[in-house]
């Protein structure tokens, strides 16, 4: 998979890909992340990427030309499955969306800033608009990092234990059951007996029931 991220703040997007699972995925050659500084596509001397909005109103708008130049250059080099714009009014990121996007080969992610981008960018270049939740970030970068994380960890070979992505919370619309590791007793707090029994079918049944109860308590909306 190849992900091209277009941003005015590339430095904000470096560290998420320099540690842990995402770094390992890159080192293994399973994913390539390319950061593109939008200012490199500006022709004027001030390196201006934004301007006042027509009709007046507070807040600057990202201009179409540098975005067009960057996206068009990338599109001339390869085909893209999706050109995503990070925006609070996009479709909310859910596990199901991450699952679908993890099957793609090439994607562009455009990070919005200021008030957002000129509507014509959205109308003519963008194929999918994604929000990471009902709150406003100061820019799309952190949202893009989260989106990339959710996608990349699903690529086969990225997680050491192939089964573990399948047992995550949300993967079957249930929250994950409680988990424990050694010691079996700590300060008098005991691990549930059933988990020490070695009886796999009973353990699975216990986990299913715990996941269901946990979901019912915390996220009844997921059961509807
Ligand atoms: N940019 C600003 N807020 C955002 C959000 N909630 N999701 C994605 N991009 C954003």
């Amino acid at each position: 998979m190849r992900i091209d991220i277009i941003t005015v703040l590339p430095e904000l997007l470096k560290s998420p890909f320099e540690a842990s699972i995402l770094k390992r995925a890159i080192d293994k050659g399973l994913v390539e992340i390319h950061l593109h500084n939008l200012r490199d596509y500006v022709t004027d001397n001030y390196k201006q990427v934004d301007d006042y909005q027509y009709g007046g109103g507070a807040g600057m708008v990202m201009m179409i030309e540098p975005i067009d130049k960057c996206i068009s250059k990338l599109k001339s080099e390869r085909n893209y499955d999706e050109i995503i714009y990070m925006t609070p009014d996009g479709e909310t990121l859910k596990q199901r969306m991450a699952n679908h996007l993890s099957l793609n080969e090439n994607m562009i992610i455009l990070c919005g800033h200021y008030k957002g981008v000129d509507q014509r960018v959205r109308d003519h270049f963008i194929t999918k608009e994604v929000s990471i939740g009902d709150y406003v970030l100061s820019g799309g970068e952190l949202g893009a990092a989260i989106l990339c994380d959710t996608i990349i960890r699903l690529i086969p070979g990225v997680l050491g234990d192939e089964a573990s992505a399948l047992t995550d919370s949300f993967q079957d619309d249930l929250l994950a059951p409680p988990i424990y590791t050694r010691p079996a007793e700590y300060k008098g707090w005991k691990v549930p007996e059933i988990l020490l029994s070695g009886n796999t079918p009973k353990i699975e049944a216990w986990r299913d029931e715990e996941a269901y109860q946990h979901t019912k308590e915390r996220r009844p909306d997921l059961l509807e």
Side-chain angles (χ1 to χ4, degrees):
M1 177 184 289
R2 175 184 168 118
I3 305 177
D4 290 275
I5 307 179
I6 304 173
T7 168
V8 288
L9 286 173
E11 59 279 14
L12 201 51
L13 275 165
K14 291 219 170 86
S15 68
F17 302 104
E18 284 171 353
S20 187
I21 288 169
L22 301 189
K23 178 177 190 307
R24 211 171 61 212
I26 292 167
D27 291 347
K28 279 187 181 172
L30 297 168
V31 64
E32 285 177 32
I33 304 289
H34 296 266
L35 301 179
H36 304 275
N37 190 338
L38 202 53
R39 289 185 210 284
D40 295 342
Y41 295 84
V42 177
T43 38
D44 77 54
N45 289 334
Y46 303 104
K47 297 286 172 207
Q48 192 186 344
V49 293
D50 58 331
D51 210 334
Y52 296 102
Q53 50 177 314
Y54 279 122
M60 305 294 273
V61 179
M62 289 169 74
M63 293 189 289
I64 190 168
E65 190 182 349
I67 296 172
D68 177 14
K69 284 207 170 113
C70 185
I71 290 180
S72 297
K73 175 173 176 284
L74 291 171
K75 281 171 79 175
S76 74
E77 292 163 352
R78 69 194 62 75
N79 289 324
Y80 284 93
D81 304 294
E82 252 0 315
I83 301 180
I84 296 169
Y85 174 51
M86 301 306 300
T87 177
D89 60 351
E91 181 187 344
T92 307
L93 172 62
K94 296 277 165 63
Q95 188 60 44
R96 190 163 291 120
M97 186 199 289
N99 292 349
H100 281 132
L101 292 175
S102 74
L103 302 173
N104 286 338
E105 204 57 53
N106 300 313
M107 281 178 281
I108 293 174
I109 302 178
L110 171 64
C111 302
H113 250 273
Y114 320 108
K115 272 272 164 208
V117 298
D118 188 303
Q119 181 61 36
R120 290 167 292 184
V121 171
R122 301 171 71 159
D123 293 344
H124 301 288
F125 296 112
I126 298 301
T127 62
K128 190 174 189 67
E129 303 192 327
V130 178
S131 164
I132 62 158
D134 288 344
Y135 38 79
V136 180
L137 304 166
S138 49
E141 284 76 11
L142 297 178
I146 286 169
L147 178 62
C148 287
D149 187 300
T150 62
I151 294 169
I152 291 168
R153 62 191 294 287
L154 296 171
I155 298 172
V158 169
L159 292 185
D161 176 1
E162 292 285 347
S164 80
L166 296 175
T167 55
D168 288 337
S169 277
F170 299 113
Q171 205 48 274
D172 43 16
D173 282 333
L174 286 179
L175 303 181
I179 51 171
Y180 300 86
T181 187
R182 292 188 304 156
E185 183 172 342
Y186 183 75
K187 293 185 173 173
W189 304 321
K190 290 188 177 138
V191 170
E193 205 66 52
I194 180 81
L195 295 177
L196 311 176
S197 70
N199 185 332
T200 311
K202 276 201 164 158
I203 291 171
E204 284 307 313
W206 179 86
R207 285 184 172 149
D208 289 347
E209 179 58 20
E210 288 290 319
Y212 176 76
Q213 289 302 335
H214 192 189
T215 309
K216 200 166 121 186
E217 270 167 37
R218 297 193 168 193
R219 292 293 306 277
D221 57 299
L222 293 176
L223 299 173
E224 280 161 15

